[in-house]
Amino acid sequence: MRSVVAVMASAMLVAIAAVGVTAVTMPGCASCHDAGDFAQDTDSQAHGGVPCVICHAPAAAGSRVTFASRVLFGMVLPVTQARGRTLSSIADAQCLSCHEDVMIRVVESKGYRIDHAQCAQGSSCTDCHSRVAHGDSVSWARTPLMEDCLACHQTDDVRNACDTCHMPRTRHERLGVSPWAITHGPSWETVHGMGNLDSCAACHDAEYCVKCHGVRLPHDDDFLRVHSKQAMDAPDSCESCHFQEFCDRCHGVEMPHPVAFTREHSRIVEEGSDELCGRCHIDADCTGCHEAHVHPGGAIGSLQLQSNVDGR
């Protein structure tokens, strides 16, 4: 038993010493990363000469110990699993330790103007600048998207003129970047719906889409409540964007109902789908038919039945 305790104590001391040394010295990452495309992409970037630990290793003592533990027991010795991006993620504090001035002035770079103090709240630096250190070798490249900016710049109290954020560029140049390069490209008729429809309003008024689609896009807030009438009056306008499965997934049954649905609908209700029916139908939709047909001589009476028949 003493031998077991001694071995365990020795192992703990070795582990603590290894973590401590790693936390202090932060040995270089070059043994694994200084080769191939990753090294070339890194060297070609503005941060190519910056030591890895400046960005990847936290400054606080406790954070450095945690980071060193993950390196040793998540990578060197795979005792635990380093989940997600725990080793490659960059804390904002690391970026701001060199670039703190971006929070007190409007930055102009690569054709854009941005006031980080106002526009970057709630975002991480790497949400827009993930490629600044390793170029195309990053596992998840993220760049600023106009769709994100429009969440604020389409509101009444924020300037929405293009030159507020964009330094002088032609319309063709603006359409050639970000998702707009696809939604406004040669195949725009089939792919333009892939973009964020809210961003269309930056250039197109509400009636622009109606000419082709027959309805306002994006749909009005009240559209879900009244869309059934639109679907029945002009089904082609819906089918230009939505497949049959789109309606079926929401309604839980085939929509519009097929011809044979009346004969089958009782089975669907018995299987527990009556809650789905309640999304569109009120109780009177059921009783109007069932009380008249199932109980012709009962509570409704023959006069009511005859009235229903004559009403058809």
Side-chain angles (χ1 to χ4, degrees), residues 215-226:
V215 294
R216 292 168 62 98
L217 292 170
H219 296 316
D220 298 329
D221 294 338
D222 196 43
F223 185 79
L224 188 62
R225 185 180 64 83
V226 300

Side-chain angles (χ1 to χ4, degrees), residues 185-242:
S187 302
W188 70 270
E189 289 183 286
T190 56
V191 300
H192 67 283
M194 293 171 59
N196 182 342
L197 297 184
D198 290 331
S199 68
C200 301
C203 300
H204 307 294
D205 60 38
E207 300 302 318
Y208 183 87
C209 304
V210 176
K211 291 182 292 185
C212 290
H213 290 275
V215 294
R216 292 168 62 98
L217 292 170
H219 296 316
D220 298 329
D221 294 338
D222 196 43
F223 185 79
L224 188 62
R225 185 180 64 83
V226 300
H227 77 285
S228 58
K229 185 178 187 305
Q230 175 73 35
M232 297 302 293
D233 292 345
D236 291 343
S237 64
C238 303
E239 293 169 2
S240 64
C241 293
H242 303 296

Side-chain angles (χ1 to χ4, degrees), residues 58-253:
S63 298
R64 286 175 75 93
V65 170
T66 301
F67 184 85
S69 300
R70 288 171 175 169
V71 171
L72 284 174
F73 303 113
M75 293 176 61
V76 179
L77 296 174
V79 177
T80 61
Q81 184 177 4
R83 298 183 179 277
R85 302 175 60 247
T86 54
L87 296 177
S88 60
S89 60
I90 309 297
D92 289 350
Q94 301 299 104
C95 301
L96 294 175
S97 64
C98 295
H99 302 287
E100 60 180 352
D101 62 311
V102 302
M103 300 303 293
I104 58 175
R105 64 183 177 88
V106 175
V107 178
E108 296 186 0
S109 176
K110 298 181 179 179
Y112 299 103
R113 297 187 186 94
I114 181 169
D115 182 353
H116 286 86
Q118 295 293 326
C119 299
Q121 294 184 18
S123 300
S124 298
C125 300
T126 52
D127 287 343
C128 295
H129 303 290
S130 65
R131 300 176 69 254
V132 297
H134 304 295
D136 293 333
S137 290
V138 295
S139 58
W140 181 22
R142 284 152 293 160
T143 56
L145 298 178
M146 184 162 179
E147 284 80 354
D148 297 332
C149 304
L150 289 174
C152 288
H153 281 275
Q154 281 185 295
T155 57
D156 295 335
D157 57 344
V158 179
R159 292 181 61 186
N160 57 15
C162 297
D163 290 337
T164 301
C165 302
H166 293 281
M167 297 164 67
R169 301 170 70 189
T170 66
R171 180 178 179 181
H172 177 73
E173 290 173 325
R174 289 172 179 164
L175 293 179
V177 295
S178 77
W180 288 6
I182 298 175
T183 57
H184 291 75
S187 302
W188 70 270
E189 289 183 286
T190 56
V191 300
H192 67 283
M194 293 171 59
N196 182 342
L197 297 184
D198 290 331
S199 68
C200 301
C203 300
H204 307 294
D205 60 38
E207 300 302 318
Y208 183 87
C209 304
V210 176
K211 291 182 292 185
C212 290
H213 290 275
V215 294
R216 292 168 62 98
L217 292 170
H219 296 316
D220 298 329
D221 294 338
D222 196 43
F223 185 79
L224 188 62
R225 185 180 64 83
V226 300
H227 77 285
S228 58
K229 185 178 187 305
Q230 175 73 35
M232 297 302 293
D233 292 345
D236 291 343
S237 64
C238 303
E239 293 169 2
S240 64
C241 293
H242 303 296
F243 294 109
Q244 179 67 49
E245 291 81 3
F246 181 86
C247 304
D248 298 349
R249 281 199 304 269
C250 187
H251 287 272
V253 294

